[in-house]
Amino acid sequence: MAGMSAGYRFVVAVVVGAMLCVVAACGQAPKSTTTTTAPPASTPTPAARPTPAVRVYVTNEASGDLSVIDAATQAVIATAPLGKRPRGIKPSPDGKSLYVALSGSPNAGPGVDPKTLPPPDRSADGIGEVDADTYKVKRIIHAGADPEQLDVSADGTRLYVANEDTAQVSVVDLKSGDITATVKIGDEPEGVTLRPDGKVVYVTSEADGAVFAIDTATNKLLKRIPVGHRPRSIGFLPDGSRAYVSLENDGALALVDARQHKFIKLLPLEGQGNTPKPRPMGIAVRPDGTAVYITAGSFGSLFFLNPEVNNGNDSLPVGQRPWGVALLPDRTTIYTANGPSNDVSVVDLASKKVVKKIKVGERPWGVAVIGR
């Protein structure tokens, strides 16, 4: 070092000092310049509400929506929009969907001159396919003009739809949503019910006073069966031997041989109600065939008929203008849709008493039940 200049010695000292600093730093962990924040405590996800074992679905014609009732609590758990004038409703065989008839035709009572009514909104016509768990409309199936009631084949592949304004029945392939056939019948078709074996579908014609039997294999008309005045709905005994048809203007049921497609006799309904005579509307048949339940419209009652004796004198006042009717899977409880009072009645069949009335939407019309 003795021969080095002062400037050179200074440079060497600086370099050596820097090297020593680097060596010292190698033994230490580098300091992070990033501030680490502990993640916030996660908020527990609320447990999903369990699906009720049995749900009752009610179409509300005037408010255009669906009321969903938990049968265990007898309380409305949801209200979902559907479309214009939802009326007839049927569940799919697997219980995953509901099919609801929607109509853009103006609401009008019997005898109203169509010329006095506003024009129909045909864009609103269709069958709403509704998810039975989310209550959302999955698609609209275009199934002819002004659908009112419908039924679903046991294998879930076809719909049979009454088109009230065009006097026909539309047969719909559910997979594609296409109409595969139409069958001309009498004016103002309404009730649609498949015989339990699925080989025949019966459709009522209000204006024609008849039931039309259609072969489901060929979609051909088998027979026109005169039954009485203003037939509304059809209920079959489980073995398919007999059909009961509600006759609004006769205050009676028509008993029909459902194998030969022949009228057997008239079964008058008698009792004390809000009108001079019963006005039969909806029909539900007990799965074991031991009882037929009939709503009586403005008469205000639910009738109980024993098929063994076909006596129609046993009834219970249930509400204002009961229409739709459905039996719960326990077979001890039945629901009726009471239009003018915007509620449904819960009837205990053992005591034959209305145990509760549940407020729903405006002008409840149809009732369907799904049990899981």
Side-chain angles (χ1 to χ4, degrees):
M1 293 283 185
M4 295 180 183
S5 67
Y8 182 78
R9 287 196 298 272
F10 174 78
V11 171
V12 170
V14 171
V15 171
V16 170
M19 292 175 64
L20 290 173
C21 288
V22 171
V23 171
C26 289
Q28 300 178 7
K31 293 181 180 179
S32 172
T33 59
T34 304
T35 302
T36 304
T37 304
S42 60
T43 302
T45 303
R49 186 173 183 174
T51 301
V54 180
R55 283 167 291 176
V56 181
Y57 301 84
V58 181
T59 55
N60 302 303
E61 182 179 8
S63 52
D65 51 24
L66 181 74
S67 296
V68 185
I69 299 169
D70 181 344
T73 62
Q74 296 177 355
V76 174
I77 58 174
T79 301
L82 291 174
K84 288 188 177 180
R85 294 190 67 198
R87 290 177 289 175
I89 179 171
K90 288 291 176 70
S92 62
D94 61 9
K96 294 181 179 180
S97 299
L98 296 154
Y99 297 101
V100 180
L102 305 171
S103 173
S105 293
N107 195 351
V112 173
D113 184 354
K115 295 178 182 178
T116 65
L117 300 172
D121 176 8
R122 287 290 170 243
S123 66
D125 290 346
I127 304 298
E129 184 177 49
V130 181
D131 188 297
D133 294 326
T134 66
Y135 320 131
K136 295 185 181 300
V137 178
K138 297 186 286 186
R139 62 171 170 163
I140 299 293
I141 301 168
H142 298 288
D146 190 24
E148 182 161 1
Q149 291 200 50
L150 69 156
D151 206 354
V152 190
S153 63
D155 60 5
T157 63
R158 298 179 308 283
L159 284 180
Y160 297 86
V161 181
N163 302 124
E164 187 172 18
D165 281 0
T166 53
Q168 69 180 24
V169 177
S170 294
V171 184
V172 178
D173 174 76
L174 272 174
K175 185 176 181 179
S176 66
D178 295 334
I179 295 176
T180 58
T182 58
V183 184
K184 293 297 291 183
I185 60 171
D187 288 342
E188 297 183 40
E190 181 172 336
V192 184
T193 306
L194 283 154
R195 200 171 64 184
D197 62 6
K199 294 180 178 180
V200 177
V201 61
Y202 273 17
V203 184
T204 61
S205 167
E206 297 174 45
D208 199 53
V211 171
F212 291 78
I214 300 168
D215 187 318
T216 57
T218 63
N219 296 319
K220 301 296 184 184
L221 182 63
L222 292 172
K223 196 168 184 182
R224 174 187 175 275
I225 313 164
V227 288
H229 297 92
R230 205 166 173 79
R232 290 289 199 170
S233 303
I234 311 115
F236 288 96
L237 292 183
D239 65 0
S241 62
R242 297 285 185 271
Y244 293 86
V245 182
S246 58
L247 304 173
E248 180 185 2
N249 287 359
D250 288 329
L253 299 180
L255 181 62
V256 174
D257 182 328
R259 294 196 177 113
Q260 300 296 319
H261 313 306
K262 292 181 179 179
F263 173 83
I264 298 175
K265 63 179 177 179
L266 207 64
L267 305 174
L269 302 180
E270 299 175 2
Q272 299 297 316
N274 301 326
T275 55
K277 66 180 180 181
R279 300 180 69 85
M281 299 290 187
I283 293 181
V285 179
R286 194 174 175 87
D288 60 7
T290 59
V292 179
Y293 308 101
I294 310 101
T295 55
S298 56
F299 195 73
S301 294
L302 176 70
F303 278 81
F304 311 91
L305 184 140
N306 181 346
E308 288 188 4
V309 296
N310 288 316
N311 185 334
N313 297 329
D314 190 9
S315 66
L316 167 73
V318 290
Q320 296 182 38
R321 192 179 164 272
W323 192 299
V325 59
L327 185 68
L328 297 196
D330 64 8
R331 304 182 186 183
T332 65
T333 310
I334 202 165
Y335 277 65
T336 68
N338 311 317
S341 54
N342 301 331
D343 58 23
V344 295
S345 293
V346 184
V347 178
D348 176 74
L349 292 174
S351 63
K352 291 186 179 177
K353 291 182 179 179
V354 175
V355 295
K356 190 173 183 179
K357 289 188 177 181
I358 306 168
K359 281 292 180 183
V360 289
E362 297 176 29
R363 296 277 172 170
W365 199 100
V367 186
V369 175
I370 291 179
R372 297 277 173 85

